Amino acid sequence: MPAKKALITGITGQDGSYLAEYLLSMDYEVIGMIRRSSTMSFERIAHFQDRVTLVSGDLADEVSMLTILKEHRPNEVYNLAAQSFVQTSWGQPVFTGETTALGVTRVLDAIRMADPEIRFYQASSSEMFGKVHEVPQRETTPFYPRSPYGVAKVYGHWITVNYRESYGMHATSGILFNHESPRRGLEFVTRKITNGVARIKCGLDDALYLGNLDAQRDWGYAADYVEAMWRMLQQDSPNDYVLATGETHSVREFCELAFSVVDLDWEKYVRRDERFFRPAEVDLLVGDPSKAAALLGWRPSTSFEDLVAMMVTADVDRVRKGLV
Ligand code: NAP
Ligand code: GDD
C-alpha cells in the first residue's frame, strides 16, 4: 500500500513539530504548510526538515490552501495553525478571529472543493469552556469562552461540526487541554517559568515576573497528545474528543515544583506584575478524558511532576549552552 500523506498547518509550532515526527515514524509522507515571514524560524523542525515537504500558504488565504491540496492530495489534514496566545487575542481580536476562527472555514472549504474525502482534524481548545459550567469538563459541557481567542475557537469547533453534518465530511474536533513541552513558546506560562528558573539558576536573572498565580490548568505533555490526534482520524466516523490528564494544578504549584527541581525556593524569586493579568480569566480547567480512553484507547503517559522536571532540565541545559 502506498504511504499515507498528511498536510499539517502550523508545522513550525509546538504541536506541529511533534505531530510531524510522529507521522514520519509511521512512514507518512508529511507536507507542512508554512507562512511567509521576513525571518524563517525552523527551530522546532530543523532536525527533520529534510524529511518533510514544506509549502507556502496562509490561513488568511484560501487559494493558497486549495492549491496545496490539489497539488499534494493528502489523505489527512491536521489544522494546527492559529493565533494561539490568549493574552494577544485582546490586543488583536480581529486578527485572532481571521486566523483562529475564519481560517478554519477556509481550510474546510478548500478541502470540500479539492477532495471532500480528505479527513480533517481541528485543534479545538479547553479555553472554549472558559467560565466553566461543570467540573470536570467533557465533550457535552456547554462553552462559555472568556477571551477573543476562546470565542474564535468556539467558532472553529462549530464550523467543523457543521461541515461534518452539512457535507458528510470526516471532520473531527479535538478539544485539547493545555499541553506543554520543552518546545513550548516562551510566552506561555509553563515555559516562561522553566526558562526563568534556568536563567535564575545560572545567574542571568534574579527575579521572575508573573500574573495570576491562582489560575488552575490541566497540563499534559504535547508528545502524548499528538498521538491521539492521529488516532482520531483513523476512526470510521468523525467525532469530538476531550484530551486531558484529569488532574489540575495552579500556576503557583507549577512554580513551586519548577524551582524545587534546581533546589531553589520559588517565593524568593517570583514577583507579581499587573501586566500579566488578563481582562477576564479562566480560573479552573480540568478535563475528563474518558471518551478518548474508551474510543481511542488513549491515555496520557507523562505525569505533571515528570513534565515539569523535563522542561526545567531542558531549559537549564539550553541556558548553559547559551541558547536561550
Ligand atoms: P503554536 O506553537 O503557537 O503554533 C502555532 C502555529 O500556527 C505556528 O506554526 C504558526 O506559524 C502557525 N500560524 C499562525 N498563524 C498562521 C497563519 N495565518 N497561517 C498559517 N500558519 C499560521 O501552537 P501550539 O501550541 O502548537 O498549538 C497548536 C494548535 O492547537 C493551535 O491551534 C492552538 O490554538 C491549539 N491548542 C493548543 C493547546 C496547547 O496547550 N498547546 C491546547 C488546545 C488547543 P509561525 O511559526 O509562522 O508563527
Ligand atoms: N502567559 C502567561 N504569562 N500566563 C500567566 C502569567 C504570565 O506571566 N502569569 C499567570 N499566568 C496565567 C494566565 O493568566 C492563565 O490563567 C495561565 O497562567 C495559563 O496561561 P498560558 O500559559 O498563557 O495558557 P492559556 O491557558 O491561556 O492558553 C493555552 O492553553 C489553551 C488550552 O486551554 C494556549 O496554549 C492556548 O492556545 C490553548 O488553547
Side-chain angles (χ1 to χ4, degrees):
M1 232 174 57
K4 275 199 194 169
K5 216 188 259 194
L7 170 70
I8 302 174
T9 73
I11 193 169
T12 51
Q14 170 188 259
D15 290 8
S17 67
Y18 282 111
L19 178 64
E21 270 173 11
Y22 183 66
L23 296 177
L24 287 170
S25 77
M26 291 192 304
D27 291 330
Y28 268 62
E29 189 179 334
V30 175
I31 317 293
M33 189 178 93
I34 52 165
R35 54 180 173 161
R36 196 259 157 199
S37 93
S38 61
T39 320
M40 287 295 186
S41 167
F42 292 156
E43 193 191 328
R44 296 184 180 104
I45 62 170
H47 58 291
F48 60 73
Q49 207 179 318
D50 56 345
R51 297 171 60 207
V52 298
T53 304
L54 298 179
V55 292
S56 265
D58 199 298
L59 283 190
D61 188 308
E62 191 167 332
V63 172
S64 64
M65 291 184 285
L66 188 56
T67 306
I68 293 168
L69 292 173
K70 283 184 169 166
E71 190 173 328
H72 293 278
R73 303 236 152 244
N75 307 93
E76 298 167 5
V77 171
Y78 296 86
N79 183 38
L80 308 186
Q83 190 301 95
S84 71
F85 189 39
V86 172
Q87 182 101 41
T88 290
S89 75
W90 278 282
Q92 300 178 24
V94 175
F95 172 73
T96 301
E98 274 295 339
T99 308
T100 307
L102 283 178
V104 188
T105 312
R106 295 192 189 96
V107 185
L108 283 164
D109 248 349
I111 292 175
R112 189 170 66 82
M113 288 188 270
D115 176 3
E117 295 303 309
I118 292 172
R119 295 187 175 196
F120 174 77
Y121 173 85
Q122 166 58 14
S124 289
S125 166
S126 52
E127 190 70 15
M128 302 189 302
F129 298 121
K131 192 170 179 179
V132 299
H133 277 47
E134 63 178 334
V135 179
Q137 296 86 50
R138 46 181 68 90
E139 292 79 4
T140 49
T141 304
F143 300 139
Y144 191 139
R146 295 271 282 169
S147 62
Y149 168 84
V151 173
K153 282 288 179 187
V154 171
Y155 175 93
H157 172 80
W158 281 116
I159 200 71
T160 300
V161 174
N162 182 262
Y163 272 52
R164 179 196 303 162
E165 293 176 355
S166 303
Y167 304 114
M169 286 168 57
H170 196 295
T172 279
S173 172
I175 306 173
L176 272 52
F177 283 64
N178 300 49
H179 44 281
E180 318 294 313
S181 74
R183 295 185 201 168
R184 188 56 142 150
L186 283 165
E187 66 275 36
F188 299 95
V189 78
T190 54
R191 186 74 203 293
K192 181 173 171 182
I193 295 169
T194 60
N195 181 52
V197 166
R199 290 180 62 84
I200 290 168
K201 182 69 182 174
C202 296
L204 298 180
D205 286 338
D206 52 15
L208 173 62
Y209 296 88
L210 295 172
N212 180 14
L213 302 183
D214 296 321
Q216 290 173 267
R217 290 290 182 275
D218 180 328
W219 279 298
Y221 176 39
D224 288 343
Y225 286 49
V226 298
E227 189 187 323
M229 295 176 187
W230 173 78
R231 289 187 189 210
M232 288 179 207
L233 294 203
Q234 310 318 305
Q235 304 306 301
D236 290 339
S237 310
N239 212 326
D240 306 320
Y241 300 93
V242 158
L243 296 186
T245 68
E247 259 184 50
T248 193
H249 298 275
S250 65
V251 174
R252 183 178 288 101
E253 280 175 81
F254 194 105
C255 283
E256 196 173 343
L257 191 53
F259 278 90
S260 76
V261 171
V262 291
D263 300 319
L264 293 176
D265 175 2
W266 73 280
E267 285 182 293
K268 290 189 180 148
Y269 303 98
V270 173
R271 314 257 187 278
R272 279 159 59 96
D273 187 327
E274 291 304 318
R275 283 177 304 158
F276 300 115
F277 283 78
R278 296 175 177 183
E281 180 60 283
V282 172
D283 295 317
L284 164 71
L285 290 176
V286 57
D288 172 3
S290 51
K291 181 173 171 183
L295 301 188
L296 306 176
W298 178 83
R299 273 176 193 75
S301 67
T302 310
S303 69
F304 177 66
E305 292 73 17
D306 287 349
L307 174 67
V308 176
M310 178 202 311
M311 292 178 68
V312 172
T313 307
D315 273 325
V316 169
D317 192 44
R318 264 192 281 235
V319 170
R320 287 202 172 128
K321 289 178 178 150
L323 297 176
V324 182

